[in-house]
Amino acid sequence: MKTSNGSFFMGIPKVSLAFLTVVIMFQQMILGSQEPACHMNDLTALKGFAKCLEPDIGGWNWSSSNCCSFTDIICDNSSDIYGRVVGLELGNKRLTGTICESLVGLEQLRILNLSLNSLHGKIPANLFHFRNLEVLDLSNNYLVGPLPSAIHLPSIKYLDLSKNYFSSFISMRFCTSSSHIQYLDLAHNFFGEGSIYLENCTSLQYVFLNGNGLSGTFPEDLFRLQHLRVLHLQQNQFSGPLSYGIGNLSNLVELDISLNDFSESLPDVFGRLRKLESFSASSNRLTGLLPASLVNLASLLRIDLHNNSLDGPIRINCSAMAQVTSLDLASNNFQGPVPASLSSCQSLRALDLARNKLGGVVPFEFRNLNALEYLSLGNTSINNISTALEILQHCKNLTILVLGLNFYQEEMPSNVNLQFTSLKALIIPVCHLRGSLPIWLSSSKMLQLLDLSWNSLRGSLPSWIGKFEYLFYLDLSNNSFSGEIPESLTGLENLVHKTALLKESSEHFSLVKSKEQGRPRLAYNDVWSFPPTIDLSRNMFSGPIWPSFGNLKNLHDLSLEENNLSGSIPDSISGMTSLEVLDLSRTNLSGEIPRSLEHLSFLSVFNVSYNRLYGDTPSGGQFMTFPESSFDGNQALCPRLLAPCQRKQIPPVVSPGKKMKIVDWNFGIGAATGFLLTVFFCFKSGWVLPKGRVCRY
Ligand SMILES: *[C@@H]1O[C@H](CO)[C@@H](O)[C@H](O)[C@H]1NC(C)=O
Ligand SMILES: *[C@@H]1O[C@H](CO)[C@@H](O)[C@H](O)[C@H]1NC(C)=O
Ligand SMILES: *[C@@H]1O[C@H](CO)[C@@H](O)[C@H](O)[C@H]1NC(C)=O
Ligand SMILES: *[C@@H]1O[C@H](CO)[C@@H](O)[C@H](O)[C@H]1NC(C)=O
Ligand SMILES: *[C@@H]1O[C@H](CO)[C@@H](O)[C@H](O)[C@H]1NC(C)=O
Ligand SMILES: *[C@@H]1O[C@H](CO)[C@@H](O)[C@H](O)[C@H]1NC(C)=O
Ligand SMILES: *[C@@H]1O[C@H](CO)[C@@H](O)[C@H](O)[C@H]1NC(C)=O
Ligand SMILES: *[C@@H]1O[C@H](CO)[C@@H](O)[C@H](O)[C@H]1NC(C)=O
Ligand SMILES: *[C@@H]1O[C@H](CO)[C@@H](O)[C@H](O)[C@H]1NC(C)=O
Ligand SMILES: *[C@@H]1O[C@H](CO)[C@@H](O)[C@H](O)[C@H]1NC(C)=O
Ligand SMILES: *[C@@H]1O[C@H](CO)[C@@H](O)[C@H](O)[C@H]1NC(C)=O
Ligand SMILES: *[C@@H]1O[C@H](CO)[C@@H](O)[C@H](O)[C@H]1NC(C)=O
């Protein structure tokens, strides 16, 4: 789920919040050290409020009648409302239960923060009638229902109801009474069916309406909000063209309208948005050229227009847009060539032009892109991989390079002088590249991910392939590599010791190529999870499966299918305790399936079909969950549930009902552990490049 990404700007209201708190505390100091006794009304209100909560709020001692001494409660120390509760700071206190009506008794409340709890149910109607309330944060709970129809919060400045289950606005005409509101966050709710009337909220600076299923055209009343700095409308169903009215929002710093259904061309009004730093309109149905005012906008730092139908040349004017750091124009109909002028964007750190009809070669001038860390030119019909690599090696900060689906049938350059010292991910699949695994790769000591699958590379794998300290994802599938699998692979540091991977998790990227039914899906997504993988399938490798594969405790996916191996499956490979996928089908293996594989409790895909295996089929652990087809085509392998092996005998009748039950039960466990593991792993490793990045080839 995408979250609002305005941390820098969002900091500003927090500052004023802190200021407010400081002011309140300062007033208290002036009044000296005497602690105010809490007002009886407030004590009653708090008691009622606390009754609806579980567990008790630690630090609220009901034997004491002075609620001002309770933790997380702020009382006023100034003379006129001395001893009244003005702040309730109960964010992230693991509270469950509901918000009781009696809370409304805290009539002097200025700050109410109940965010990041597990509160549920509807909110009391009168909650929106606090005369002095300035800050209301109910975000990240399980609150439901429509908002109260009458809203009277004349002092409200900051209202955050995001990440709840609120539904339609009955009336959001609240700016007739709440005209001072500066910050409004309604993101990630179900406000889709209501309407929002914000035309009179002229003080609004921050508006988050993303993730609500809102529809209709761009809400025109927003164009009157001259102070707007951040506007997030992404992940809704807004449609129609973008109106010229956007030009009215001359204070806008951040505009995100991605993941909607906006169509037609972008209005040429960006010249009036002189403060705009970040513009995202990805995944809409925008067409036409890039407006001149957009490509000349000096303030812009980040542009994300991927997955639209924009066309014409990519004519970013780097002289005007000197500060731009991130440019994502992938998946459009832009036409080539790859513009050499982009090399003047000296701050560019991420450039994604994948899936456009560019053609030509990587421009010579790209060698000057000194800040470039991420480059994707996948599926852009460019040619000459030798030239591309010669040039790009000069980009000393290049970390991720995606060039797949280009260079049809060219030769992989073997030039020993090529050097990519910062490279962490090299992704050049589906190019029909000829040649061998290039020696220059061995100097990329930082390499974590290598995908050269679906090419026509041949020869044997050199032993240096196992010497990368950080490599955890190796996909060389569907090439013509031959010879033995280098034993050094079984010593890959990052697959033997999890620690190296954890260390890497503080770095800035991760990648995954997901497989759908065994076939790679040719897209890398922006929320990347990545199972540690060795995929050497569909080559011509010979020789044994080394017993030392068992050392790869951190390996999740070992795919060796369709090779011409020899020998048997070593017992020791059960040492790969994290293994989820083990595919050894069509590898010409003989011998028995080691029983010890039953101990691989995360194994969810197992295939040894079409080999020359014999003996018992293990049936413990995850084995009952694997389909018969996992074992097909092994003449002498006994079916499961026959122990001891009664080769060439008719299997005894097993009551189908009973068998099904066992299968179901085991499958449940297997699927659940597999899923948990995946989730766990995603969490552990799921951090990415600067936000909004999409890496595809
Ligand atoms: C609660 O307040 C009473 C009365 O002020 C006091 O005697 C008692 O020690 C307090 N209990 C705790 C746990 O602070
Ligand atoms: C009011 O002042 C007293 C004494 O300085 C202090 O203990 C108390 O926390 C203050 N109230 C608030 C709301 O901070
Ligand atoms: C509310 O409390 C949470 C948790 O302490 C905090 O992260 C958040 O910034 C607070 N909200 C406001 C508006 O201060
Ligand atoms: C905005 O204010 C005008 C003038 O006070 C009023 O006529 C109009 O109804 C208000 N609109 C909304 C949506 O509150
Ligand atoms: C632009 O702002 C002006 C001044 O507030 C306002 O009169 C005008 O209606 C706005 N334009 C649109 C399209 O809302
Ligand atoms: C591309 O955008 C369309 C909407 O225009 C959306 O349905 C689709 O999921 C997007 N595809 C990707 C890969 O983001
Ligand atoms: C590019 O920007 C520079 C500096 O703002 C300007 O002088 C030049 O005319 C622009 N070029 C084009 C083609 O718009
Ligand atoms: C490559 O790009 C073409 C259009 O330029 C598109 O039709 C095709 O699906 C893309 N291939 C992949 C695998 O993304
Ligand atoms: C390259 O990366 C290093 C280390 O992250 C950084 O200090 C340096 O500024 C970067 N170079 C450029 C030109 O951005
Ligand atoms: C690539 O470009 C270089 C330099 O222009 C040229 O010598 C070489 O023949 C080209 N290779 C291919 C495969 O086009
Ligand atoms: C192997 O790669 C070729 C392209 O090089 C592709 O056409 C073919 O479908 C792939 N085969 C398998 C089984 O993945
Ligand atoms: C597989 O390897 C064996 C030797 O181990 C060899 O005799 C056989 O021809 C190979 N088969 C293929 C299809 O390469």
Side-chain angles (χ1 to χ4, degrees):
M1 187 161 53
K2 284 206 169 167
T3 52
S4 40
N5 182 20
S7 44
F8 171 70
F9 311 104
M10 280 157 66
I12 293 166
K14 290 213 179 105
V15 170
S16 53
L17 258 174
F19 179 69
L20 193 69
T21 316
V22 168
V23 167
I24 293 170
M25 285 163 66
F26 188 64
Q27 289 169 345
Q28 293 154 7
M29 281 168 64
I30 289 176
L31 267 145
S33 57
Q34 200 190 349
E35 190 168 286
C38 136
H39 196 282
M40 272 313 289
N41 290 3
D42 290 348
L43 188 65
T44 313
L46 287 170
K47 272 186 179 156
F49 169 66
K51 259 191 201 130
C52 299
L53 299 178
E54 311 140 28
D56 277 356
I57 299 173
W60 288 18
N61 176 0
W62 298 114
S63 329
S64 151
S65 63
N66 187 6
C67 66
C68 293
S69 64
F70 294 2
T71 54
D72 311 315
I73 288 185
I74 305 167
C75 283
D76 194 288
N77 281 355
S78 67
S79 50
D80 51 340
I81 52 167
Y82 186 73
R84 298 304 304 259
V85 174
V86 294
L88 213 47
E89 291 275 9
L90 294 172
N92 202 5
K93 298 283 177 197
R94 297 167 190 261
L95 302 176
T96 61
T98 57
I99 302 175
C100 266
E101 182 80 35
S102 41
L103 180 66
V104 178
L106 299 174
E107 44 198 33
Q108 296 295 338
L109 209 56
R110 284 186 232 157
I111 300 174
L112 175 58
N113 187 349
L114 298 173
S115 74
L116 289 158
N117 285 300
S118 302
L119 301 170
H120 64 268
K122 294 189 179 177
I123 53 176
N126 286 328
L127 192 64
F128 285 168
H129 283 260
F130 279 111
R131 198 160 32 91
N132 297 318
L133 198 64
E134 293 171 28
V135 176
L136 175 57
D137 188 350
L138 301 177
S139 62
N140 284 290
N141 280 290
Y142 300 99
L143 300 167
V144 298
L147 298 183
S149 53
I151 293 176
H152 187 73
L153 296 170
S155 306
I156 196 83
K157 293 198 175 107
Y158 183 109
L159 177 59
D160 188 350
L161 304 178
S162 64
K163 295 182 185 156
N164 277 289
Y165 295 86
F166 290 121
S167 48
S168 63
F169 293 106
I170 298 302
S171 156
M172 234 359 191
R173 294 181 179 276
F174 76 121
C175 281
T176 21
S177 62
S178 312
S179 53
H180 303 298
I181 187 161
Q182 293 171 10
Y183 184 105
L184 176 65
D185 190 348
L186 302 176
H188 298 293
N189 278 289
F190 296 92
F191 285 128
E193 273 152 35
S195 305
I196 305 165
Y197 303 100
L198 298 176
E199 57 172 322
N200 290 339
C201 303
T202 46
S203 305
L204 269 177
Q205 295 180 31
Y206 303 84
V207 173
F208 302 90
L209 300 175
N210 46 302
N212 269 302
L214 295 163
S215 55
T217 55
F218 196 103
E220 301 267 325
D221 47 354
L222 293 176
F223 298 147
R224 299 171 60 119
L225 310 183
Q226 307 277 320
H227 298 292
L228 215 52
R229 293 166 55 84
V230 175
L231 177 57
H232 281 202
L233 298 179
Q234 71 271 25
Q235 274 184 285
N236 282 297
Q237 281 145 32
F238 289 118
S239 57
L242 279 179
S243 146
Y244 281 79
I246 285 188
N248 245 17
L249 302 177
S250 53
N251 283 305
L252 218 50
V253 175
E254 197 176 309
L255 174 60
D256 192 341
I257 57 166
S258 59
L259 291 156
N260 277 290
D261 203 20
F262 289 116
S263 55
E264 300 182 32
S265 45
L266 288 167
D268 198 1
V269 293
F270 290 88
R272 294 166 63 194
L273 308 182
R274 286 174 201 285
K275 296 180 181 166
L276 194 65
E277 293 179 7
S278 175
F279 177 49
S280 177
S282 63
S283 291
N284 279 287
R285 291 190 295 126
L286 300 168
T287 56
L289 307 177
L290 292 173
S293 60
L294 181 65
V295 298
N296 282 289
L297 191 58
S299 55
L300 270 174
L301 302 178
R302 292 174 294 275
I303 309 177
D304 183 0
L305 296 172
H306 84 264
N307 193 20
N308 279 289
S309 300
L310 299 164
D311 57 35
I314 296 171
R315 41 173 195 169
I316 303 288
N317 183 355
C318 290
S319 320
M321 212 185 276
Q323 306 179 68
V324 70
T325 60
S326 164
L327 186 57
D328 188 349
L329 302 177
S331 297
N332 277 288
N333 299 326
F334 289 113
Q335 277 133 38
V338 179
S341 61
L342 277 179
S343 62
S344 307
C345 286
Q346 280 291 304
S347 302
L348 205 55
R349 292 172 56 202
L351 175 61
D352 197 340
L353 302 178
R355 293 199 269 189
N356 283 291
K357 298 169 190 149
L358 301 178
V361 296
V362 172
F364 181 75
E365 293 83 352
F366 266 36
R367 60 194 280 132
N368 300 325
L369 284 168
N370 295 318
L372 197 64
E373 291 170 21
Y374 169 91
L375 175 65
S376 176
L377 294 171
N379 199 6
T380 49
S381 309
I382 54 170
N383 58 61
N384 206 329
I385 189 173
S386 304
T387 310
L389 295 176
E390 282 292 348
I391 291 165
L392 294 174
Q393 66 170 330
H394 295 280
C395 307
K396 286 297 174 208
N397 276 8
L398 195 59
T399 310
I400 302 181
L401 179 57
V402 186
L403 296 173
L405 280 148
N406 291 302
F407 317 119
Y408 187 69
Q409 285 189 345
E410 290 182 22
E411 179 92 9
M412 171 67 91
S414 52
N415 177 359
V416 283
N417 295 323
L418 283 173
Q419 271 214 331
F420 288 87
T421 40
S422 304
L423 205 60
K424 290 185 180 166
L426 181 64
I427 300 164
I428 322 184
V430 204
C431 296
H432 295 265
L433 291 175
R434 294 173 295 113
S436 54
L437 194 73
I439 176 84
W440 52 262
L441 250 186
S442 62
S443 66
S444 300
K445 301 281 184 223
M446 307 302 286
L447 201 65
Q448 297 190 15
L449 185 148
L450 177 62
D451 183 353
L452 297 174
S453 63
W454 291 41
N455 280 301
S456 307
L457 301 172
R458 52 183 66 247
S460 57
L461 287 188
S463 71
W464 51 255
I465 192 78
K467 297 288 191 280
F468 292 105
E469 192 178 346
Y470 303 110
L471 192 69
F472 70 91
Y473 188 104
L474 175 65
D475 189 351
L476 301 176
S477 63
N478 197 4
N479 278 283
S480 301
F481 289 113
S482 56
E484 288 185 344
I485 295 170
E487 197 171 359
S488 65
L489 268 188
T490 68
L492 274 172
E493 193 62 25
N494 209 358
L495 296 177
V496 176
H497 304 294
K498 277 183 183 168
T499 45
L501 192 70
L502 287 172
K503 185 174 107 198
E504 281 308 289
S505 70
S506 60
E507 299 276 339
H508 299 299
F509 90 100
S510 66
L511 291 166
V512 73
K513 183 165 75 174
S514 67
K515 285 190 173 182
E516 273 163 14
Q517 290 155 4
R519 294 184 42 228
R521 194 168 58 93
L522 298 177
Y524 287 82
N525 289 320
D526 57 350
V527 180
W528 291 323
S529 55
F530 54 108
T533 294
I534 293 179
D535 190 345
L536 303 178
S537 63
R538 303 195 172 92
N539 277 287
M540 299 182 328
F541 287 109
S542 57
I545 296 177
W546 303 106
S548 47
F549 264 107
N551 296 339
L552 301 177
K553 290 189 178 45
N554 195 29
L555 189 63
H556 288 217
D557 182 339
L558 179 61
S559 295
L560 301 177
E561 72 269 20
E562 294 185 43
N563 281 290
N564 186 16
L565 304 178
S566 55
S568 57
I569 304 172
D571 190 49
S572 60
I573 70 168
S574 59
M576 296 189 281
T577 44
S578 304
L579 215 55
E580 292 175 74
V581 176
L582 179 59
D583 195 338
L584 303 174
S585 61
R586 298 176 194 271
T587 45
N588 205 20
L589 292 167
S590 56
E592 299 193 49
I593 304 176
R595 262 228 124 79
S596 59
L597 295 186
E598 290 178 353
H599 300 308
L600 294 175
S601 47
F602 296 118
L603 202 58
S604 57
V605 176
F606 178 76
N607 197 341
V608 289
S609 61
Y610 299 97
N611 282 297
R612 295 181 290 126
L613 301 172
Y614 54 81
D616 287 332
T617 302
S619 55
Q622 292 290 89
F623 271 76
M624 285 308 294
T625 69
F626 305 137
E628 286 304 327
S629 58
S630 295
F631 307 95
D632 274 357
N634 289 285
Q635 296 293 337
L637 201 57
C638 292
R640 278 170 291 185
L641 293 179
L642 287 188
C645 186
Q646 297 165 336
R647 205 169 304 160
K648 300 211 170 82
Q649 280 184 16
I650 300 160
V653 182
V654 179
S655 131
K658 196 177 169 201
K659 185 179 170 186
M660 279 310 295
K661 205 171 164 192
I662 295 169
V663 169
D664 280 349
W665 187 74
N666 275 304
F667 180 74
I669 300 225
T673 42
F675 173 75
L676 283 178
L677 184 83
T678 311
V679 169
F680 173 63
F681 194 82
C682 293
F683 264 97
K684 240 175 47 175
S685 54
W687 86 112
V688 274
L689 278 163
K691 236 184 127 52
R693 182 77 44 75
V694 177
C695 165
R696 294 192 192 86
Y697 52 83

